[in-house]
Amino acid sequence: MAIKILFTADNHIGITYSSFPKAKKHLQDERINSFEKMVQYANDNQMNYFIIGGDLFDKTSIGDKTIKEITGILKKFKGELVVVIPGNHDFYESSENTLWSKFRENVNPEKVVVLKEYEMFDHQLGDQLVHFYPAGCRSIHSDKNMIGWIYKAEKNKESINIGIAHGNVSDLGIDDADRYFNMTKDELKSCNMDLWLLGHIHVPYPLNEIVTENPELFMAGTHMPDSWKYKHDGNAWHIEIDEKKKVNAKRYKPTEIKINEMIYNVNSNADIDLLVNKLNEYNSSKTALRLTLKGRLDDENKKHLHELIKSKEEEFLTLDLTDHISKKIDAGLINQHYPNESLPHLLLTELLKEDPEGTVIQKAFEILDKVKSKK
Ligand SMILES: [Mn+2]
């Protein structure tokens, strides 16, 4: 019998989206709504396990209300078991009144387990025995990973053995290898798991949409884009593994929200039209866009461009504009500012001839303008 797993991680519930002032409330709500959509997807596809590979929450000091909101959503999972490991942001603390003690008070332990210990957890699914080997975190940083015990543990070849860990993987990671529970691919392989489910790097792995051969490790990525740096779609894995250990997987995208950055050169009216076309291609109500404009325009075109962007602003979830467009200097502008045969006129006309697109004329114009305004 094939078992079906919805695998997610790095949900960072409670993240504030503080660098998206206009959209932050919407993004915070969507983070929870899209989390719930994963549970719905898992139900619609009759999945057995809903596995969370660490950093379900953004921090250990998360409020009770948020904890209850999430446990309430997890209760709706109709499959056999929700399996959670603590990540480095929501690491396990053994004292009382902690995030995970409160979380566990709010769930049915038969249906939702937090695997905080470094020991095997068994689950019988029909005639299939499944062994989970968890390697969650007990601190925010560590120069050592937590999978050492798995390497040493006994394995039963008849059962399906699933390792779940949270941390950086050498060559895949984007984090400092020595601070975030770093694992090498060789170390993971030597543990002899049938499947590795990993969280921490917010980028999904592998990058294929459809997986028909066991990639040995899956990185969930985060279920929804979370920062200006984040260029991927939100992601979760739909994974199936049968008794012969054959793996099939596909991606599930729980949200339409995208975060994009765009740098664009505008030097003419035609460029402005092209820019508007590009902006029209976005699914704007679901997109936070950081737009940086470069190039050179005369005052009139620049004003026109700003009006256009202002009208677009409403459509986007957030449209952050950084304007590095400089003033276009041509004969007309020089004539307008300085009398014919004056020193500035002669100088600027000469520089314009020399290199009309260069930065020297730009600089010279700015300096002369400064001098002029001081008089
Ligand atoms: Mn993490």
Side-chain angles (χ1 to χ4, degrees):
M1 182 183 102
I3 65 170
K4 291 183 175 186
I5 299 167
L6 190 291
F7 175 49
T8 179
D10 295 288
N11 313 100
H12 287 267
I13 300 297
I15 197 173
T16 57
Y17 282 105
S18 54
S19 53
F20 300 83
K22 184 185 149 200
K24 72 193 257 189
K25 175 77 176 76
H26 182 90
L27 292 169
Q28 283 166 16
D29 291 349
E30 174 65 11
R31 209 158 175 90
I32 292 187
N33 293 340
S34 53
F35 185 81
E36 183 157 9
K37 272 171 81 182
M38 288 193 291
V39 172
Q40 275 163 18
Y41 175 87
N43 288 342
D44 292 345
N45 288 276
Q46 281 130 30
M47 309 195 87
N48 307 107
Y49 298 110
F50 191 94
I51 300 182
I52 303 169
D55 288 355
L56 167 58
F57 297 102
D58 191 50
K59 48 184 186 265
T60 53
S61 60
I62 214 82
D64 294 9
K65 191 173 156 256
T66 308
I67 297 174
K68 279 193 183 147
E69 202 169 359
I70 293 303
T71 52
I73 292 171
L74 290 175
K75 271 177 202 157
K76 295 180 188 169
F77 178 56
K78 291 181 187 149
E80 277 76 5
L81 194 65
V82 175
V83 179
V84 190
I85 66 161
N88 70 311
H89 278 264
D90 57 3
F91 59 88
Y92 176 73
E93 298 164 287
S94 57
S95 48
E96 276 169 43
N97 226 2
T98 61
L99 164 62
W100 291 114
S101 68
K102 289 184 233 170
F103 179 91
R104 289 164 77 206
E105 280 163 23
N106 282 291
V107 294
N108 172 359
E110 304 271 296
K111 296 286 287 177
V112 182
V113 289
V114 180
L115 302 185
K116 55 190 174 48
E117 306 298 337
Y118 301 106
E119 59 189 30
M120 190 177 75
F121 181 86
D122 287 346
H123 189 259
Q124 185 75 41
L125 185 72
D127 55 3
Q128 182 65 61
L129 186 59
V130 182
H131 291 320
F132 294 103
Y133 293 81
C137 303
R138 295 193 172 196
S139 56
I140 192 154
H141 294 124
S142 170
D143 56 2
K144 278 205 304 279
N145 65 52
M146 297 292 147
I147 63 172
W149 78 271
I150 303 176
Y151 171 72
K152 291 183 207 134
E154 268 190 49
K155 325 270 152 47
N156 175 356
K157 285 219 177 327
E158 299 299 306
S159 39
I160 293 177
N161 299 301
I162 300 175
I164 313 171
H166 191 89
N168 193 70
V169 176
S170 306
D171 306 329
L172 283 185
I174 40 172
D175 269 331
D176 297 344
D178 56 348
R179 294 182 75 202
Y180 293 101
F181 305 83
N182 193 63
M183 297 164 265
T184 65
K185 279 188 177 170
D186 282 345
E187 282 173 318
L188 290 162
K189 210 180 166 77
S190 67
C191 289
N192 279 315
M193 293 289 100
D194 296 317
L195 207 58
W196 266 115
L197 304 179
L198 302 175
H200 182 61
I201 300 168
H202 289 200
V203 177
Y205 179 89
L207 286 168
N208 329 19
E209 294 286 322
I210 305 270
V211 174
T212 51
E213 235 167 279
N214 193 346
E216 283 165 12
L217 67 94
F218 283 93
M219 283 272 177
T222 176
H223 73 285
M224 178 177 150
D226 56 3
S227 75
W228 283 112
K229 283 184 282 181
Y230 195 87
K231 302 289 183 292
H232 299 266
D233 290 337
N235 186 71
W237 284 109
H238 170 150
I239 303 170
E240 305 195 7
I241 177 168
D242 67 17
E243 64 282 356
K244 294 201 175 99
K245 318 290 174 82
K246 170 91 181 102
V247 171
N248 279 294
K250 61 182 175 185
R251 283 163 181 249
Y252 170 60
K253 294 175 185 176
T255 179
E256 288 177 78
I257 298 283
K258 285 179 197 285
I259 296 174
N260 284 99
E261 275 184 292
M262 174 169 156
I263 300 171
Y264 201 80
N265 259 303
V266 226
N267 292 301
S268 64
N269 255 322
D271 288 345
I272 294 177
D273 290 344
L274 281 173
L275 173 65
V276 171
N277 286 343
K278 281 213 175 272
L279 291 177
N280 287 338
E281 283 169 20
Y282 286 98
N283 182 3
S284 48
S285 67
K286 305 281 183 196
T287 303
L289 179 66
R290 185 174 264 176
L291 175 64
T292 303
L293 295 177
K294 295 180 175 176
R296 216 161 286 180
L297 285 179
D298 60 35
D299 286 348
E300 198 183 318
N301 275 334
K302 191 164 169 163
K303 198 176 152 221
H304 171 59
L305 173 62
H306 273 256
E307 279 163 6
L308 281 172
I309 288 174
K310 215 164 173 54
S311 72
K312 283 262 140 214
E313 233 167 25
E314 298 264 298
E315 295 171 23
F316 278 83
L317 202 51
T318 269
L319 180 57
D320 254 24
L321 175 66
T322 307
D323 183 350
H324 289 310
I325 299 173
S326 43
K327 200 192 258 298
K328 183 173 182 179
I329 294 155
D330 54 17
L333 191 75
I334 298 171
N335 286 335
Q336 206 184 321
H337 276 72
Y338 300 103
N340 221 347
E341 300 296 322
S342 68
L343 177 62
H345 194 285
L346 290 169
L347 177 70
L348 292 171
T349 307
E350 207 49 46
L351 287 172
L352 186 65
K353 248 190 267 169
E354 193 102 337
D355 184 10
E357 303 299 320
T359 52
V360 175
I361 175 110
Q362 209 72 41
K363 246 305 51 78
F365 188 91
E366 282 166 24
I367 293 168
L368 289 167
D369 204 43
K370 239 186 243 169
V371 173
K372 192 177 154 200
S373 59
K374 272 187 190 156
K375 274 181 186 166

